[in-house]
């Protein structure tokens, strides 16, 4: 897996893996009860993204987490998740920091729930 990563992405990936493996009690996204009439499944409530972010690092996190979502929950559609989280779809390179942070939060929550075995179909 490391052979497939760009060398400049290695530090970002290490920070990502460290952040995902440590549970400091502060989650980026939390599950909330579904609203009346909502579809089955979890509803994720997103926190406000940090003020200063590094777009290349966020894109690296986005792709790394997407691979983990895809592995943990096969058949998941990235574009469908994007539309559900943001309300629209556009190219990953066109996302701003806030959009990427929201998607990273959603992917992180899905990965976390897949580990716990609590992802709803």
């Amino acid at each position: 897996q490391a052979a497939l990563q760009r060398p400049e992405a290695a530090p970002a990936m290490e920070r990502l893996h460290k952040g995902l493996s440590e549970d400091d009690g502060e989650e980026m996204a939390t599950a909330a009860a579904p609203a009346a009439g909502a579809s089955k499944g979890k509803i994720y409530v997103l926190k406000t993204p940090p003020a200063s972010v590094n777009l290349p690092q966020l894109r690296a996190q986005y792709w790394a987490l997407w691979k983990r979502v895809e592995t943990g929950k096969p058949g998941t559609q990235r574009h469908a998740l994007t539309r559900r989280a943001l309300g629209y779809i556009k190219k990953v390179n066109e996302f701003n920091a806030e959009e990427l942070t929201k998607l990273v939060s959603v992917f992180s929550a899905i990965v976390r729930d897949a580990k716990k075995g609590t992802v709803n179909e």
Side-chain angles (χ1 to χ4, degrees):
Q1 182 182 10
L4 300 176
Q5 296 176 358
R6 294 187 316 260
E8 64 272 12
M13 295 302 296
E14 288 176 21
R15 286 192 298 276
L16 171 67
H17 289 297
K18 181 180 176 190
L20 291 176
S21 63
E22 294 177 354
D23 184 15
D24 60 356
E26 183 175 279
E27 297 175 359
M28 293 177 73
T30 56
S39 64
K40 292 182 180 179
K42 285 200 174 198
I43 306 296
Y44 293 95
V45 179
L46 305 174
K47 294 183 178 180
T48 306
S52 64
V53 292
N54 180 344
L55 283 176
Q57 180 182 353
L58 279 174
R59 284 190 191 103
Q61 288 179 348
Y62 172 90
W63 288 115
L65 282 167
W66 168 246
K67 289 296 180 189
R68 292 179 71 182
V69 167
E70 202 171 34
T71 301
K73 192 175 176 197
T76 303
Q77 297 180 357
R78 183 170 50 91
H79 292 115
L81 282 175
T82 301
R83 180 177 295 282
R84 191 165 183 188
L86 301 177
Y88 51 87
I89 298 175
K90 62 183 182 181
K91 294 179 182 178
V92 174
N93 289 338
E94 296 174 356
F95 287 137
N96 62 34
E98 183 178 355
E99 293 164 331
L100 281 168
T101 302
K102 284 181 182 179
L103 292 169
V104 165
S105 297
V106 169
F107 291 176
S108 295
I110 292 169
V111 168
R112 181 194 66 235
D113 289 348
K115 282 182 180 179
K116 292 179 182 176
T118 59
V119 177
N120 293 331
E121 297 297 327

